[in-house]
Amino acid sequence: MAGKIGFEAESNTQIRHDACWFGEGQSRVVVSVRPAQVENFKKLLNEHNLPHRQIGLVGGDSIRIDGQNWGVLSEWQSTYDNHLGDLLDSTATQN
């Protein structure tokens, strides 16, 4: 979200869907690499016997996961930035 760039990604079918996207398993890192550097990056990972897989591509203004369009990043950014405050405001008005 910081770069305001959308993405397209595929889930890891070897683990539960929720664990794939929201799990906090140790030693998992998401890295974005410029297209011209992908092969060099994979070569480096292989040289050090580091397990890896490409999950998608970065670009555009929308979010696509497993082929489904989740909408545009700006809408998710608004939700991310404001959701807790909105919940607290709605709770305060109910009391």
Side-chain angles (χ1 to χ4, degrees), residues 18-60:
D18 61 319
C20 174
W21 296 111
F22 302 106
E24 297 181 9
Q26 295 178 344
S27 302
R28 281 195 286 172
V29 178
V30 176
V31 179
S32 181
V33 179
R34 294 182 188 279
Q37 295 297 318
V38 169
E39 291 308 315
N40 288 338
F41 187 69
K42 287 181 181 179
K43 182 179 174 187
L44 178 68
L45 295 172
N46 288 331
E47 286 172 358
H48 294 280
N49 296 315
L50 295 171
H52 60 279
R53 75 179 189 92
Q54 185 172 344
I55 63 170
L57 299 170
V58 174

Side-chain angles (χ1 to χ4, degrees), residues 11 17 19 42 49 59-60 82 89 93:
S11 298
H17 199 71
K42 287 181 181 179
N49 296 315
N82 301 307
D89 288 345
T93 58

